[in-house]
Amino acid sequence: MVSKAWRVRFAPSSQVVPSIHRPPKDDSPVIRRQPKSKSACRECRLRRAKCDEAYPVCQHCARRGTVCTPAPRKTMWKLEMPLLIQQAACCRDGTTPSVLLQYYFEQVCHIMVLDPDINPLALPILDLFRESSALLHVVQSIAAAHMNGFRDANTSDCLVERGQTLLCIQQELLQTRKKAIATFLAIFLLGISSPWIEGTTGLEHLVGARALIDSILSDPTSDPSDPAIQLIVGNYIWWEMAASFNLDHRFHKSLSVEFISEAVQASQREYHPMAGYSLGMFYAVAKVTHYCRGVVDRQSRDLALEASLEDEMLAWTPSQEDELLFLLIDAYRKHGLIQLYRICGRDLEQDNEVMIQQWASEAMEGLLRIPPSSPYLNFQPIPLMSAASEIPAHKLQQREEVKLRFKAIYSLTRLPVMLEAINLLEEIWERRSLGITTTWLVILLERGQVFPLA
């Protein structure tokens, strides 16, 4: 069952009146010109080629293996600023939304969820602006950065909005409120966007979000079946899964196991915008990557815990996923298993390489079956990186397919790190040719490099 709380539905702004084609007044031959593409990508415009306007990668760019920079998508629905201002005019600090908010709804919010039609970060977020001005400022900061392709993110608009976000969060946390759902979402968006915009890990926001969510969960009135509670718990678990390897284990504090268990069970019945029906799998992967970080730091292992973590991932079965979503979640499971075996040297009784290669091959096959036009594309980078790192040298075509996939993800998200991932993969493949086996997570940790694939 899909929760109706976050469904996004619009009404068309106006009806389209078909044009009337009149015959020529004389008998002179009519020269039919090829209609110009109004939404051609940048590359086709420069080459003066007919663009099929496929999103996020057109056929010309796909054949050439180049990055496709699509034109801004023209939505079927017109979002009028007066309506947005009216809806969000009751912000706590009296802030008036800017045109950045319109850009956020039309161009940005869909890249952070699995299904654009079930998106709490789209128009449903308007109601939360009344509770948190920080939330309004942070979405506008992300919009400003996205508008500049995240390459010149330190624009005045972006920095001003992020500064206002921090100020508002501080003020909101000082106020006594039982359920700061909107403030948590502001911290969440601030944290996941910090690597994109500021080049920092954003882990300080993760720690702050955990403290806030602890206070929310400790409230006796909190109900694990509440859609708002499920949303923030799921968002936090997904965030920790993506960032836990970068978090020093000495500063890691787990959430309430009892409450998380209830939330995970509820997630098997209710769809989560970032985890589908498999929040439990993301929670398991988060525990694996956190444990692997502890092994790297302490150089000591807990074999019983490793066995428990492995069994938990191997025992996972999909509940209600469609085929493509199953392939995506299964790739995350293989990502966790690969990291566990590669970093910890999991099994001493059999060849670890055989298991790693099998999982990597299965994950690669599944991820490449997901078409570039799927909304699941922007959730592929983490498992894609782990699986692609294991591609043997003789599978050159598959390596090229991975490069094209990262370029397609870049075309969708505009995050430059997706192109940097290709360079890192080539470095890993070169190391493998020299007999050096390590994971991309360990390489980035050794360098102290921020690499936000999520």
Side-chain angles (χ1 to χ4, degrees):
M1 176 180 179
V2 176
S3 174
K4 297 181 180 179
W6 314 121
R7 282 198 177 277
V8 180
R9 291 291 181 265
F10 306 99
S13 58
S14 61
Q15 294 183 348
V16 178
V17 180
S19 59
I20 300 176
H21 298 280
R22 301 183 183 278
K25 294 182 179 181
D26 53 29
D27 296 332
S28 59
V30 178
I31 301 176
R32 298 184 180 275
R33 297 182 180 275
Q34 185 75 9
K36 292 185 178 180
S37 175
K38 296 182 179 180
S39 300
C41 71
R42 177 177 176 273
E43 287 68 28
C44 285
R45 287 181 182 273
L46 292 176
R47 296 172 64 91
R48 296 187 177 183
K50 173 63 178 176
C51 183
D52 66 351
E53 302 178 18
Y55 187 83
V57 180
C58 73
Q59 290 186 2
H60 282 299
C61 291
R63 282 199 300 267
R64 292 194 297 267
T66 59
V67 170
C68 184
T69 308
R73 301 182 72 183
K74 293 184 178 180
T75 60
M76 295 174 59
W77 318 105
K78 188 176 182 181
L79 302 179
E80 297 287 354
M81 276 306 299
L83 173 62
L84 297 181
I85 293 175
Q86 179 182 0
Q87 291 288 329
C90 299
C91 291
R92 298 179 63 86
D93 63 354
T95 301
T96 300
S98 71
V99 70
L100 291 173
L101 185 60
Q102 181 177 7
Y103 181 87
Y104 169 82
F105 285 129
E106 294 182 347
Q107 306 293 338
V108 183
C109 64
H110 65 281
I111 71 174
M112 293 182 282
V113 293
L114 290 169
D115 186 348
D117 290 334
I118 307 174
N119 187 0
L121 301 179
L123 293 183
I125 208 173
L126 283 171
D127 292 334
L128 297 178
F129 290 158
R130 298 183 178 92
E131 302 177 23
S132 172
S133 298
L135 189 56
L136 171 61
H137 288 298
V138 73
V139 299
Q140 293 189 154
S141 75
I142 296 174
H146 187 277
M147 192 178 293
N148 289 279
F150 293 100
R151 292 189 179 277
D152 187 19
N154 293 329
T155 59
S156 58
D157 288 341
C158 180
L159 292 179
V160 167
E161 293 292 347
R162 294 185 80 78
Q164 288 296 320
T165 300
L166 291 170
L167 180 61
C168 290
I169 287 176
Q170 183 180 16
Q171 294 173 349
E172 291 169 15
L173 291 178
L174 292 175
Q175 300 173 4
T176 303
R177 287 182 294 157
K178 291 184 178 180
K179 294 182 180 179
I181 304 295
T183 303
F184 172 85
L185 288 177
I187 298 174
F188 168 75
L189 291 175
L190 185 66
I192 65 171
S193 63
S194 290
W196 308 341
I197 297 173
E198 302 167 9
T200 61
T201 61
L203 294 179
E204 68 277 13
H205 303 305
L206 178 65
V207 174
R210 181 167 56 245
L212 179 57
I213 202 172
D214 277 338
S215 67
I216 295 174
L217 299 184
S218 62
D219 186 343
T221 63
S222 294
D223 180 5
S225 62
D226 182 351
I229 297 295
Q230 289 183 358
L231 174 67
I232 64 172
V233 170
N235 283 10
Y236 177 82
I237 289 176
W238 183 89
W239 185 10
E240 185 166 290
M241 178 278 304
S244 58
F245 192 82
N246 295 322
L247 184 61
D248 192 322
H249 71 279
R250 295 173 296 177
F251 305 108
H252 185 272
K253 178 184 176 184
S254 299
L255 297 175
S256 169
V257 176
E258 180 180 357
F259 199 101
I260 290 297
S261 299
E262 294 179 13
V264 167
Q265 291 178 359
S267 71
Q268 296 176 355
R269 302 182 299 273
E270 296 290 342
Y271 181 91
H272 189 277
M274 300 185 75
Y277 296 98
S278 298
L279 186 59
M281 175 49 57
F282 286 97
Y283 185 45
V285 175
K287 290 187 289 185
V288 167
T289 52
H290 170 65
Y291 170 76
C292 289
R293 171 61 190 269
V295 170
V296 172
D297 290 342
R298 296 187 300 261
Q299 297 298 316
S300 62
R301 298 170 55 190
D302 184 336
L303 298 182
L305 179 57
E306 288 180 17
S308 175
L309 293 172
E310 182 179 358
D311 290 342
E312 184 176 357
M313 286 188 292
L314 291 175
W316 172 78
T317 55
S319 54
Q320 303 181 42
E321 277 88 6
D322 59 59
E323 181 184 4
L324 296 182
L325 187 54
F326 164 75
L327 294 174
L328 177 65
I329 305 300
D330 188 57
Y332 272 95
R333 173 173 64 162
K334 302 292 173 50
H335 154 71
L337 290 168
I338 290 172
Q339 298 304 320
L340 185 63
Y341 269 60
R342 181 63 74 193
I343 294 176
C344 303
R346 172 72 190 97
D347 199 329
L348 301 178
E349 297 181 358
Q350 59 179 324
D351 189 352
N352 284 341
E353 285 298 321
V354 173
M355 300 301 299
I356 291 173
Q357 291 299 322
Q358 177 183 340
W359 289 325
S361 177
E362 293 172 352
M364 279 301 310
E365 181 181 352
L367 290 172
L368 293 179
R369 283 175 58 188
I370 300 175
S373 58
S374 170
Y376 304 149
L377 180 69
N378 56 317
F379 279 77
Q380 287 194 11
I382 290 178
L384 184 62
M385 195 72 188
S386 290
S389 298
E390 307 295 338
I391 298 177
H394 66 275
K395 293 187 176 181
L396 295 178
Q397 182 178 356
Q398 194 172 72
R399 288 185 174 184
E400 291 302 317
E401 290 177 349
V402 170
K403 295 178 184 179
L404 292 177
R405 182 55 56 99
F406 271 112
K407 291 177 182 179
I409 298 172
Y410 169 76
S411 297
L412 176 66
T413 64
R414 294 194 182 184
L415 291 173
V417 70
M418 300 306 166
L419 300 180
E420 296 168 10
I422 298 175
N423 297 330
L424 179 58
L425 276 175
E426 291 178 338
E427 178 184 342
I428 292 174
W429 292 334
E430 178 64 25
R431 290 190 179 201
R432 295 294 168 86
S433 67
L434 299 176
I436 303 173
T437 57
T438 186
T439 74
W440 61 279
L441 289 174
V442 172
I443 292 176
L444 296 176
L445 180 63
E446 292 173 348
R447 295 176 178 175
Q449 185 176 352
V450 179
F451 210 73
L453 288 180

